[in-house]
Amino acid sequence: MTVHNLYIFDRNGACLHYSEWNRKKQAGISKQEEFKLMYGMLFSIRSFVSKMSPLDMREGFQCFQTSRYKLHFYETPTGLKFIMNTDLSVPNARETLHQIYSTLYVDYIVKNPLCSLGDPLQSDLFSARLDTFIKNLPYFNPRAA
Amino acid sequence: MSRQSNRTTDNKKMNSELFTLTYGALVTQLCKDYENDEEVNKQLDKMGYNIGVRLIEDFLARSSVGRCQDFRETADVIAKVAFKMYLGVTPSVTNWSPAGDEFSLVLESNPLVDFVELPDNHNVLIYSNLLCGVLRGALEMVQMAVDVRFAQDTLRGDNVTEIRMKFIKRIEENLPAGDE
């Protein structure tokens, strides 16, 4: 079990934060292009999912998986998007993503008046806490499984 | 899940008088800094807006409220959850317009004005106008453009304080320009 990487996007599609842990393969394009590609895909999936759904949805798009990894998606009502890639054995990580939002993002970014919202996050405190938080997840360590 | 385990601020209740007095000092200073009360109203609204856009994130993180399906649900959440959480009061939701796009929040007591009496030369001042900005800013972040204003105010001799909220439109999400 492991966590590969994590993206945070704001409601306008700007990538506020990116960090990676166990990423063996890079995209081969610049990070800026990668963020745009990622956001564009998420935007399309959200609209696809809501149009194709035969029933009213409460939560909408939650995750997808391929043969090698799983992408977990969590969006707040304010349009912040948290995306975490893990390996396939990790169960639903929405609660974890909500925790990153409520205990890390809100506490260290929103409540810090010097952090302007909508710009890439500069807070070292936030990055450090996030790193600790992810590394302490029960499924972070590949050998913990 | 111990979602709030490392929150330390949750169980600490701040003395609300400190808040009320701080707000009073802010209004007093603004009245000194600006010539007319309309400008003070504008500044209070602007500050409230800036608070609102941040406060909404705190609110959503603390409460498990999801996206509201309609304006009535929004009204309920504002009155029963948000006002309760941040001001310790629960306004009543009344005076719905037939179209359901307008309602009033009626406050029996307004915690911001606990020790206030408006002098006669400030009859244009909307003392608690910060609240309008907060509501507008917070709702804008959840894609709702809303007009918020004071319709009645105990400070001006009305029996209750009434905040009138009018839904203007849903703010559409767009794919940022230049993205292929």
Side-chain angles (χ1 to χ4, degrees), chain A residues 11-14 36-37 39-40 43 46 57-58 74-81 95 98-99 101-107 109-117 133, chain B residues 1-9 53-58 60-69 73 138 140-143 171 173-180:
Chain A
R11 64 202 301 216
N12 300 316
K36 279 190 179 180
L37 199 59
Y39 189 81
F43 192 91
R46 279 168 69 248
M57 290 182 304
R58 194 91 192 141
Y74 170 72
E75 183 178 9
T76 70
T78 49
L80 281 166
K81 294 166 188 69
E95 182 61 29
H98 179 84
Q99 262 179 289
Y101 167 63
S102 65
T103 65
L104 299 171
Y105 182 82
V106 170
D107 280 3
I109 304 298
V110 176
K111 292 186 186 171
N112 179 350
L114 298 181
C115 286
S116 66
L117 305 178
F133 177 84
Chain B
M1 272 272 166
S2 57
R3 176 181 297 178
Q4 311 205 327
S5 60
N6 45 0
R7 287 182 154 273
T8 50
T9 49
V53 298
R54 286 182 185 254
L55 202 63
I56 183 71
E57 303 284 5
D58 180 68
L60 293 169
R62 282 210 224 183
S63 57
S64 49
V65 172
R67 196 177 277 282
C68 290
Q69 299 302 308
E73 193 183 340
E140 189 177 303
M141 297 306 284
V142 288
Q143 277 89 45
I171 302 166
E173 246 184 299
N174 293 314
L175 193 59
D179 272 16
E180 296 303 317

Side-chain angles (χ1 to χ4, degrees), chain A residues 8 12 15 36 42 47-49 55 62 65-66 71 79 85 88 114 131-132 135 139 144:
Chain A
I8 303 175
N12 300 316
C15 185
K36 279 190 179 180
L42 294 170
S47 97
F48 175 85
V49 166
L55 302 166
Q62 308 211 8
Q65 65 178 58
T66 71
L71 179 144
N85 287 310
L88 298 176
L114 298 181
D131 191 59
T132 314
K135 285 180 174 161
Y139 44 76

Side-chain angles (χ1 to χ4, degrees), chain A residues 19-89:
Chain A
S19 46
E20 65 184 43
W21 291 273
N22 296 307
R23 183 173 182 176
K24 301 231 168 59
K25 180 179 160 297
Q26 293 295 333
I29 49 178
S30 78
K31 275 280 172 288
Q32 282 317 311
E33 284 177 75
E34 181 185 314
F35 297 154
K36 279 190 179 180
L37 199 59
M38 174 60 101
Y39 189 81
M41 180 201 65
L42 294 170
F43 192 91
S44 308
I45 292 186
R46 279 168 69 248
S47 97
F48 175 85
V49 166
S50 65
K51 288 195 180 90
M52 292 303 137
S53 171
L55 302 166
D56 263 355
M57 290 182 304
R58 194 91 192 141
E59 297 286 352
F61 170 51
Q62 308 211 8
C63 75
F64 73 69
Q65 65 178 58
T66 71
S67 59
R68 297 300 300 275
Y69 75 98
K70 190 165 175 180
L71 179 144
H72 307 260
F73 176 82
Y74 170 72
E75 183 178 9
T76 70
T78 49
L80 281 166
K81 294 166 188 69
F82 294 79
I83 296 97
M84 182 167 78
N85 287 310
T86 68
D87 71 333
L88 298 176
S89 58

Side-chain angles (χ1 to χ4, degrees), chain B residues 11-143:
Chain B
N11 302 319
K12 272 189 253 166
K13 288 260 186 280
M14 198 188 68
N15 183 345
S16 66
E17 286 188 10
L18 177 62
F19 172 60
T20 306
L21 293 171
T22 307
Y23 185 72
L26 174 77
V27 178
T28 311
Q29 189 60 43
L30 286 173
C31 288
K32 280 187 192 143
D33 289 352
Y34 292 95
E35 295 283 310
N36 62 50
D37 289 349
E38 298 205 356
E39 190 60 30
V40 175
N41 293 342
K42 208 187 286 175
Q43 293 297 326
L44 286 172
D45 180 79
K46 203 190 280 181
M47 285 181 205
Y49 176 86
N50 289 331
I51 294 173
V53 298
R54 286 182 185 254
L55 202 63
I56 183 71
E57 303 284 5
D58 180 68
F59 176 73
L60 293 169
R62 282 210 224 183
S63 57
S64 49
V65 172
R67 196 177 277 282
C68 290
Q69 299 302 308
D70 57 32
F71 204 42
R72 285 181 186 271
E73 193 183 340
T74 310
D76 267 357
V77 170
I78 292 171
K80 299 202 180 106
V81 191
F83 265 78
K84 182 97 192 105
M85 188 184 288
Y86 293 107
L87 291 176
V89 293
T90 309
S92 48
V93 178
T94 54
N95 293 340
W96 277 98
S97 65
D101 63 344
E102 236 181 296
F103 68 90
S104 292
L105 292 169
V106 174
L107 291 136
E108 301 278 321
S109 73
N110 175 358
L112 291 182
V113 303
D114 274 353
F115 318 108
V116 184
E117 206 172 337
L118 276 191
D120 290 341
N121 57 343
H122 281 300
N123 51 9
V124 188
L125 179 69
I126 308 169
Y127 185 86
S128 312
N129 208 32
L130 187 97
L131 290 182
C132 293
V134 172
L135 287 164
R136 189 167 58 86
L139 289 175
E140 189 177 303
M141 297 306 284
V142 288
Q143 277 89 45

